Amino acid sequence: MEDRIKSLQAMEILDSRGNPTVLVELELEGGIQIVSRVPSGASTGAHEAVELRDDNPERFGGKGVLGAVNNVNEVIAPVLTGQKVTDQASLDRRLLELDGGPHKAKLGANAILAVSQAVLEGAARVHNQPLYRYLGGLNASVLPVPLLNVLNGGAHADNNIDIQEFMFVPVGAATFREALRMAQESYQALKKILQQKKLRTAVGDEGGFAPDLQSNRAALDLLIQAMEQGGLKPGQDMVLALDIAANEIKRDSGYFFEGGVKTGPELIDYYHRLIHDYPIISIEDGLAEDDWENWQLMTERLGDQIQLVGDDIFVTNTDRIQRGIDEICANAVLIKLNQIGTITETLQAIRLTHQAGWRTVVSHRSGETEDTTIADLAVAVNSAQIKTGAPARGERIAKYNRLLVIEHKDPSLEYAGWEAFRR
Ligand code: 2PG
Ligand code: MG
């Protein structure tokens, strides 16, 4: 009886951008109480599960989530109450049945994920285990390399840079805490350099700086300089990763990039030169979400040199990932729980990706909360990579702090380091 769901209660809270999102409180018969909160993206893919918003212009500019909250309280709670919280797969299946559609448009992926995540955490507590251990069992053995977004452009910042995210990747560290220290010191060095150059040090949504710069290369030069001033060897201690978020620059006529219009193959050429000139280990969303043909070309040309991560093209959806595997588009998948909406489907997406010999990168959203589920998820599935923003802003730091705690308490886990990028 102890592990049965006694109550499920949702409410509207705010995310890190101040936009409404869903919180769920789960209580078990045995007295265990769980709180779960869901994130929200800005550069969202068209194929993501639906984030249900009220569209009532009189509240939060239409962004209220009272409908999603109501769906938890009135539709989901009555069905899940009394069920065993440890039956993740069957509870997730019930959620899908209740929604009935392929995109979770009726109940909202925000409502569904808040519940699915609470169920997972509840089951871990019933088993008296930390979340990553409950979920990953004895198999969970690796602490992820953080991909820290330290310089922002695109939809995440109000500046003139078109690449959305420039990330520090401290691969050369021996431990997670050393990795975080290295990245933090370089981030602070970057701030000093920006100050000296009289450039803006205000930060974007994920805590990265958002200065106005001449070009994308100027941004990369700054990052190299920051690493060196932080006492690191670029390419050895730390490397770089990019999220182009190419969907955001795609128009009918092509990709709007650095003041001109580029074709897919031209962008690929550009990346080719970039990875020659800078220690870039990974490029995410180098092309748009439905540009399968050019994704294939990019993978052919660059796939044996760097990691090519699909975010908007795959949206954590097994059908789209399977197509990518069949057509050899990309060699890694970004994993975002709220793109698909349930824990079970997320785990399926991860399994499929790993079975193909591809890598996964567990990821936050640009709109986040203090929830730290993704930190545990990354460890549980040996993802070996996590992307969760700059070493700044509480909602980003919450995930890094959770990993610090996991590392501190569990010496059996090893920092992934360079291994994270071996395919
Ligand atoms: C991305 C994410 C997270 P958003 O594009 O990878 O950095 O951004 O949540 O806005 O989609
Ligand atoms: Mg992305």
Side-chain angles (χ1 to χ4, degrees):
M1 278 310 281
E2 301 262 294
D3 58 354
R4 305 253 166 199
I5 296 174
K6 184 177 173 200
S7 69
L8 262 176
Q9 265 283 330
M11 61 177 277
E12 186 181 62
I13 59 164
L14 300 184
D15 71 15
S16 55
R17 273 194 282 254
N19 291 327
T21 190
V22 181
L23 173 148
V24 160
E25 259 180 11
L26 166 77
E27 193 177 347
L28 301 183
E29 289 291 352
I32 289 172
Q33 287 179 336
I34 301 296
V35 176
S36 137
R37 312 160 184 87
V38 298
S40 170
S43 58
T44 48
H47 306 287
E48 292 191 22
V50 174
E51 178 181 73
L52 193 63
R53 300 244 175 228
D54 298 338
D55 292 327
N56 170 4
E58 279 163 29
R59 295 187 72 252
F60 295 114
K63 292 190 174 198
V65 292
L66 293 181
V69 163
N70 196 57
N71 288 342
V72 174
N73 295 340
E74 305 300 326
V75 184
I76 297 175
V79 175
L80 261 49
T81 303
Q83 300 294 315
K84 275 170 88 153
V85 78
T86 45
D87 287 343
Q88 184 83 43
S90 73
L91 294 190
D92 281 345
R93 207 172 318 116
R94 289 296 287 135
L95 291 171
L96 299 190
E97 284 163 9
L98 281 174
D99 181 82
H103 307 298
K104 305 183 174 72
K106 185 172 149 205
L107 297 179
N110 41 358
I112 291 174
L113 179 61
V115 173
S116 184
Q117 221 172 245
V119 165
L120 176 70
E121 179 80 42
R125 287 276 294 281
V126 165
H127 283 95
N128 228 334
Q129 286 189 316
L131 182 53
Y132 72 91
R133 190 55 74 194
Y134 164 69
L135 189 55
L138 286 177
N139 218 19
S141 56
V142 173
L143 285 158
V145 174
L147 280 64
L148 303 104
N149 174 10
V150 293
L151 205 146
N152 292 185
H156 287 184
D158 295 321
N159 61 359
N160 61 349
I161 304 280
D162 10 64
I163 294 180
Q164 180 176 285
E165 300 167 26
F166 296 78
M167 292 168 271
F168 281 154
V169 187
V171 268
T175 59
F176 178 79
R177 61 184 180 280
E178 276 300 290
L180 199 58
R181 182 185 60 79
M182 279 161 50
Q184 193 274 359
E185 289 175 4
S186 300
Y187 175 80
Q188 293 301 331
L190 178 60
K191 183 170 185 175
K192 284 216 184 78
I193 296 169
L194 294 173
Q195 283 166 340
Q196 280 156 8
K197 292 186 187 295
K198 304 259 181 302
L199 290 164
R200 259 198 311 177
T201 55
V203 298
D205 288 343
E206 300 181 356
F209 300 113
D212 278 328
L213 296 171
Q214 285 304 317
S215 63
N216 295 306
R217 278 178 181 263
L220 289 163
D221 290 334
L222 283 179
L223 297 187
I224 297 293
Q225 211 186 323
M227 280 190 219
E228 285 167 346
Q229 291 197 10
L232 301 180
K233 285 204 184 66
Q236 206 170 309
D237 299 321
M238 199 145 80
V239 291
L240 299 172
L242 303 176
D243 181 3
I244 312 294
N247 255 355
E248 304 292 316
I249 55 169
K250 180 82 165 62
R251 304 285 177 275
D252 284 343
S253 55
Y255 292 93
F256 278 60
F257 198 73
E258 300 221 306
V261 185
K262 280 188 165 35
T263 64
E266 283 169 349
L267 263 187
I268 297 166
D269 280 339
Y270 174 86
Y271 301 146
H272 188 77
R273 290 192 297 274
L274 223 50
I275 62 177
H276 177 267
D277 296 344
Y278 298 94
I280 295 168
I281 203 167
S282 176
I283 295 182
E284 178 186 330
D285 279 1
L287 295 157
E289 61 197 0
D290 291 311
D291 198 354
W292 296 91
E293 208 180 298
N294 283 315
W295 267 97
Q296 206 169 42
L297 182 66
M298 178 165 69
T299 310
E300 231 172 81
R301 289 204 49 204
L302 310 179
D304 57 350
Q305 298 167 62
I306 57 164
Q307 175 171 276
L308 297 167
V309 188
D311 172 11
D312 291 344
I313 186 173
F314 298 135
V315 291
T316 317
N317 178 314
T318 48
D319 291 341
R320 294 184 68 90
I321 296 169
Q322 186 62 58
R323 177 168 175 193
I325 293 167
D326 293 342
E327 298 181 15
I328 318 182
C329 299
N331 55 30
V333 177
L334 201 80
I335 300 293
K336 290 169 167 167
L337 290 155
N338 79 329
Q339 279 180 330
I340 191 70
T342 63
I343 296 292
T344 302
E345 289 165 292
T346 305
L347 293 174
Q348 284 164 350
I350 293 169
R351 209 173 305 127
L352 178 63
T353 305
H354 287 172
Q355 275 164 1
W358 288 17
R359 311 299 319 212
T360 52
V361 183
V362 173
S363 172
H364 66 161
R365 299 307 305 246
S366 49
E368 266 295 336
T369 71
E370 56 273 46
D371 200 282
T372 58
T373 306
I374 60 166
D376 284 75
L377 176 65
V379 177
V381 301
N382 295 318
S383 167
Q385 296 180 46
I386 189 168
K387 160 172 128 156
T388 185
R393 297 188 56 134
E395 75 283 2
R396 315 293 148 183
I397 292 295
K399 281 70 163 172
Y400 294 128
N401 281 348
R402 171 66 185 150
L403 288 166
L404 286 173
V405 169
I406 293 175
E407 178 176 63
H408 182 72
K409 290 196 175 167
D410 192 338
S412 77
L413 298 169
E414 253 185 78
Y415 180 60
W418 284 102
E419 234 3 79
F421 294 89
R422 183 167 299 169
R423 288 187 300 276

